[in-house]
Amino acid sequence: MSTTATQGQSPIQSNEEFRERLRELPPSAKLVAKVLETEHPLSQGQLAEESLLPDRTVRYALNRLTDADLVDSRYSFQDARKQVYYLDV
C-alpha cells in the first residue's frame, strides 16, 4: 500500500483510514485488496487467478472496494478493452 500523505493527512492516518474502511468489507474484498497490495495493476481475470476466487466473487469484491473508494480502475495499456484495478490509497 502507498504510504504517501494525501491532502494534508499524515501517511499513518491515511493507512489507518484505509484499514478501517477495509475492515467493514467482506472477506473476498479483503483478499482482493491484499492481492492488489502485492501486485498491481491487475485485470479482473488476473485477480481471479491470483486470489483463486471465482470471477463472480471477484466482481462483487471489486464493486464493494470501489464503493468504499479503496480501489480505482483505468483501461489497460496492453489491451484497451480491459480495465485494470489498483488500490486507491
Side-chain angles (χ1 to χ4, degrees):
M1 280 180 245
S2 172
T3 56
T4 58
T6 56
Q7 298 177 350
Q9 295 178 337
S10 73
I12 293 180
Q13 289 173 330
S14 180
N15 191 22
E16 288 175 6
E17 181 183 340
F18 176 86
R19 292 175 61 84
E20 188 60 36
R21 285 190 277 165
L22 188 61
R23 187 172 283 123
E24 303 297 321
L25 298 178
S28 60
K30 293 173 185 168
L31 178 57
V32 168
K34 189 66 173 172
V35 170
L36 286 172
E37 182 179 47
T38 58
E39 299 181 42
H40 60 278
L42 294 174
S43 69
Q44 182 179 323
Q46 290 169 318
L47 281 166
E49 188 175 310
E50 291 295 320
S51 66
L52 302 176
L53 294 171
D55 288 337
R56 186 177 188 172
T57 303
V58 170
R59 189 168 43 252
Y60 172 76
L62 286 170
N63 286 335
R64 296 294 305 266
L65 288 163
T66 302
D67 290 346
D69 292 326
L70 299 175
V71 167
D72 205 354
S73 66
R74 63 172 168 76
Y75 287 102
S76 171
F77 294 127
Q78 296 164 337
D79 185 350
R81 297 171 295 174
K82 294 183 180 182
Q83 287 193 327
V84 290
Y85 300 87
Y86 55 93
L87 293 178
D88 188 22
V89 181

